[in-house]
Amino acid sequence: MEKKVRVRFAPSPTGGLHLGGVRTVLYNYLFARQHKGDFILRIEDTDQNRYVEGAEEYIQECLKWCGLEPDESPLHGGPYAPYRQSERKEMYREYAEQLVKQGNAYYAFDTPEELEAMRDKFRTEENPSPQYNHSTREKMRSSLTLNDDEVSRLLGEGTPHVIRIKMPENETLSFTDMIRGEVSFNSSLSDDKVLLKGDGMPTYHLAVVVDDYAMKITHAFRGEEWLPSAPVHLLLWKYLGWLEDMPQWAHLPLILKPDGHGKLSKRDGDRLGFPVFAMNWKDSKTAELTQGFRELGFLPEAFINMLAVLGWNDGTEQELYSRDELIERFSLDHVHKGGAKFNYEKAKWFNHEWIKKLPADKWQMTVRKDFEQKGVTIEDEEKFSKVLELVKDRCTLLTDFWEQASFFFKSPETIEVAAVKPKWNEDKAMFFDILAEKLTVQEEWTAANIELLFKETAAEKGIKMGELQLPFRIMLVGGKFGPTVFDIAALIGKTETIGRIRKGLTNIG
RNA sequence: GGAGCGUUGGUCAAGGGGUUAAGACACCUCCCUUUCACGGAGGAAUCACGGGUUCGAUUCCCGUACGCUCUACCA
């Protein structure tokens, strides 16, 4: 019988959740759903130095916002709990000891200073980063070089030590990556990675293997940066006797900086003016706030869609996919091998498309909250809906609605007088004066009626419509933008329209 | 330095021995609109280079170049 598909996203709680991270979550999630499998969130908090308070909750919240919630996690629980590596500490040591007994790993007593000294000693122009490997390990203090009595004594005295894997010499290690096909490495090229640290915590290398095995993970997705350490993991699966259960790997292409080269980082976002994190992230130490896609006005649907097609396509011309469509269409053999530069303009385009595509009630509340935060309370639901419908074509981000629609609810504070002043004259002033009078007695307040009245009055005064529309717009809106003026007048109501004309008249004239 | 991985317009990319080498974003022109957008019609722009294999390579093979990742008691 086929094993049930189980995948996992395994972040370290060290800060904001990066675009690349969300995409890894997405691919995991899509794969799991497509195969009716389980999606697990496992927190890899084995590095006490990098641990950041609140980061785990933040990650959970991001997944929730994206609509990619796990089936098992520290929060939801599950049959393989705990899902936090710090709470699984004991089991890693056991396996590490087992490897030592088998001769596949060893105790190393070198101090950080000794390691540094070793690196300094062997560092040359040709070899800028000397490794702790078959050629150097003979010269270090470990259970490989010390006699048994000495080792037991050191251990007995509680001497700080780590457990390192003993990499074999000259073995070809290969495996089949779901995206890249067969990849192989020479075992001599990898160093003797630390498996268990001095503080008793495992490193990533030991922890992923042990946990993926314990949690019955069948497919493992991770960034391409992990490819070079895959042989170490492969060896661990083998030494621990679990090779049969090793998950299939997929090393995902990286998301690159839009300019220049290299992996996209939070810094690039700050530098180039776009978000990199899914949601706002506030560093608890520096109190520095980094803006997220959510707060900048992105729809989760758009965010997910944009990420899905950054490195994947279904071979057709389609670009807009709902989450369910993605679940149906996603496939690993259409995932690109090369990295993709992030393009913020395109990301915004996706958002614009989703604003137009989604029914307004999906995002209305977000806009409303934004308005209320900026001091405009919505009293008339119906008017609010009509306004949103009227301006949504002009909004790329949800936060654009403020600029495009706030004038429907409050009179513009300043108006762009300069736009009409040069062509302003007595006749025009008179026109608006008469218009205001006529509007006062206008019974049925509709865009069509207002337009009709406007036209008639213009004809009477012998002024062209076009000459008058811009001033009218400036009076109502404050600037040269927005929908048709008559629609605006109809929506803001009679009193307000007349009020803005009068006010505009005094400002311009 | 070494290893691994990668390379189709400015960007995301389809295609995969014979094609006018799709499409999208951005850019340019025009139309619509006497506002700003949306929308519509066009335009410019691409197979990194060199060798093979082949009647024929963007596509397959080998090199080269370039880029990225890794080379921590970080993940």
Side-chain angles (χ1 to χ4, degrees):
Chain A
M1 196 188 102
E2 271 292 290
K3 280 190 286 184
K4 185 177 193 193
V5 167
R6 286 177 57 81
V7 301
R8 99 275 121 134
F9 175 56
S12 315
T14 53
L17 184 59
H18 185 274
L19 276 180
V22 182
R23 194 187 55 179
T24 305
V25 176
L26 217 210
Y27 287 6
N28 266 293
Y29 179 92
L30 297 176
F31 189 82
R33 287 292 166 270
Q34 183 173 77
H35 295 278
K36 309 262 179 284
D38 300 323
F39 169 47
I40 291 106
L41 172 68
R42 182 174 71 219
I43 300 294
E44 309 223 334
D45 56 350
T46 55
D47 185 355
Q48 264 120 19
N49 302 315
R50 294 214 304 157
Y51 180 80
V52 175
E53 200 68 43
E56 184 186 320
E57 292 72 14
Y58 170 92
I59 290 167
Q60 298 261 15
E61 182 65 24
C62 285
L63 301 197
K64 194 173 168 190
W65 176 64
C66 292
L68 306 173
E69 288 200 81
D71 301 302
E72 299 168 26
S73 75
L75 192 72
H76 304 81
Y80 299 90
Y83 292 92
R84 224 173 258 127
Q85 288 182 332
S86 58
E87 294 167 15
R88 305 169 68 80
K89 190 174 171 184
E90 295 319 309
M91 59 188 299
Y92 304 115
R93 165 134 234 143
E94 267 172 53
Y95 290 116
E97 302 274 2
Q98 181 193 327
L99 289 170
V100 175
K101 279 195 202 88
Q102 291 172 188
N104 301 124
Y106 57 91
Y107 297 107
F109 300 97
D110 318 286
T111 62
E113 292 73 29
E114 286 170 325
L115 286 176
E116 196 41 50
M118 180 276 280
R119 294 200 176 100
D120 284 345
K121 187 175 165 192
F122 294 102
R123 185 155 25 229
T124 60
E125 196 126 311
E126 264 74 61
N127 184 12
S129 38
Q131 296 190 313
Y132 195 122
N133 62 12
H134 57 90
S135 71
T136 45
R137 69 172 159 241
E138 301 305 325
K139 304 175 179 77
M140 307 302 286
R141 293 170 55 229
S142 71
S143 57
L144 252 27
T145 54
L146 272 20
N147 66 46
D148 290 354
D149 291 347
E150 182 72 356
V151 173
S152 339
R153 189 183 60 80
L154 287 168
L155 252 23
E157 286 170 0
T159 313
H161 64 278
V162 300
I163 292 179
R164 308 184 88 111
I165 185 172
K166 185 181 172 192
M167 288 301 285
E169 263 180 86
N170 238 290
E171 262 181 43
T172 299
L173 267 14
S174 64
F175 68 94
T176 304
D177 184 275
M178 292 187 282
I179 293 171
R180 283 147 221 283
E182 178 159 328
V183 273
S184 50
F185 303 83
N186 183 317
S187 62
S188 301
L189 271 4
S190 188
D191 59 350
D192 289 356
K193 293 269 181 251
V194 170
L195 301 178
L196 200 74
K197 299 187 267 190
D199 62 4
M201 280 289 194
T203 57
Y204 172 82
H205 307 293
L206 213 217
V208 243
V209 174
V210 169
D211 285 342
D212 281 352
Y213 173 73
M215 295 181 180
K216 296 194 158 53
I217 300 303
T218 57
H219 301 264
F221 300 79
R222 57 176 16 167
E224 195 188 347
E225 68 267 30
W226 287 109
L227 208 43
S229 51
V232 175
H233 306 152
L234 178 66
L235 234 29
L236 251 18
W237 279 93
K238 186 175 150 194
Y239 292 159
L240 258 5
W242 303 332
L243 214 45
E244 299 276 292
D245 295 309
M246 185 172 77
Q248 283 190 262
W249 275 311
H251 289 89
L252 270 22
L254 267 16
I255 297 181
L256 277 12
K257 301 172 194 291
D259 63 345
H261 310 284
K263 270 200 289 188
L264 181 68
S265 73
K266 174 186 134 3
R267 278 230 162 281
D268 299 309
D270 300 342
R271 180 169 60 87
L272 272 9
F274 58 80
V276 167
F277 292 157
M279 309 186 318
N280 275 6
W281 168 254
K282 191 168 178 186
D283 190 297
S284 55
K285 288 192 188 85
T286 64
E288 183 199 359
L289 180 82
T290 308
Q291 288 228 292
F293 279 87
R294 185 230 243 169
E295 287 78 4
L296 241 38
F298 273 81
L299 251 13
E301 289 83 354
F303 184 52
I304 289 312
N305 190 164
M306 173 276 284
L307 249 18
V309 297
L310 198 59
W312 169 85
N313 68 84
D314 76 349
T316 71
E317 284 185 13
Q318 187 171 345
E319 288 196 278
L320 260 24
Y321 299 91
S322 66
R323 195 186 58 177
D324 288 345
E325 278 176 299
L326 287 171
I327 292 172
E328 198 189 313
R329 313 282 271 283
F330 183 73
S331 106
L332 248 17
D333 45 56
H334 273 96
V335 173
H336 253 241
K337 293 185 180 75
K341 288 183 185 160
F342 177 64
N343 183 335
Y344 188 48
E345 290 308 315
K346 185 80 188 233
K348 286 195 287 191
W349 175 80
F350 276 104
N351 205 58
H352 192 187
E353 292 303 311
W354 276 96
I355 286 179
K356 291 191 283 183
K357 190 176 158 101
L358 242 28
D361 56 87
K362 287 272 189 191
W363 44 264
Q364 226 181 70
M365 208 52 207
T366 310
V367 176
R368 188 182 170 138
K369 277 184 187 152
D370 186 42
F371 273 42
E372 285 174 358
Q373 205 174 46
K374 286 168 175 154
V376 167
T377 314
I378 304 301
E379 277 133 16
D380 187 343
E381 285 302 329
E382 207 189 319
K383 176 181 167 191
F384 187 54
S385 295
K386 278 187 190 162
V387 168
L388 296 186
E389 193 55 39
L390 201 57
V391 303
K392 70 175 185 185
D393 278 356
R394 295 153 217 270
C395 298
T396 299
L397 301 172
L398 292 180
T399 42
D400 290 340
F401 277 94
W402 174 254
E403 191 185 334
Q404 292 296 331
S406 56
F407 62 81
F408 280 97
F409 304 94
K410 66 175 183 74
S411 188
E413 275 153 34
T414 55
I415 65 170
E416 221 179 294
V417 177
V420 291
K421 194 80 174 172
K423 289 180 150 185
W424 192 249
N425 57 36
E426 240 350 87
D427 282 352
K428 286 183 184 172
M430 214 180 291
F431 165 85
F432 280 102
D433 199 47
I434 295 167
L435 181 68
E437 302 264 303
K438 288 192 178 178
L439 287 174
T440 313
V441 296
Q442 176 65 37
E443 296 271 308
E444 232 186 305
W445 195 257
T446 65
N449 285 343
I450 300 164
E451 184 171 0
L452 197 66
L453 198 68
F454 194 93
K455 272 185 180 156
E456 281 171 8
T457 315
E460 281 167 25
K461 296 296 294 173
I463 310 177
K464 274 184 275 181
M465 277 280 280
E467 298 272 304
L468 268 7
Q469 286 202 39
L470 186 61
F472 194 30
R473 169 175 303 281
I474 296 297
M475 290 170 181
L476 298 184
V477 178
K480 286 161 62 169
F481 62 94
T484 313
V485 277
F486 308 111
D487 284 334
I488 299 172
L491 273 165
I492 64 177
K494 192 200 269 191
T495 323
E496 186 65 23
T497 302
I498 294 166
R500 290 189 196 182
I501 292 174
R502 295 263 179 242
K503 197 173 155 195
L505 237 23
T506 56
N507 278 333
I508 299 168

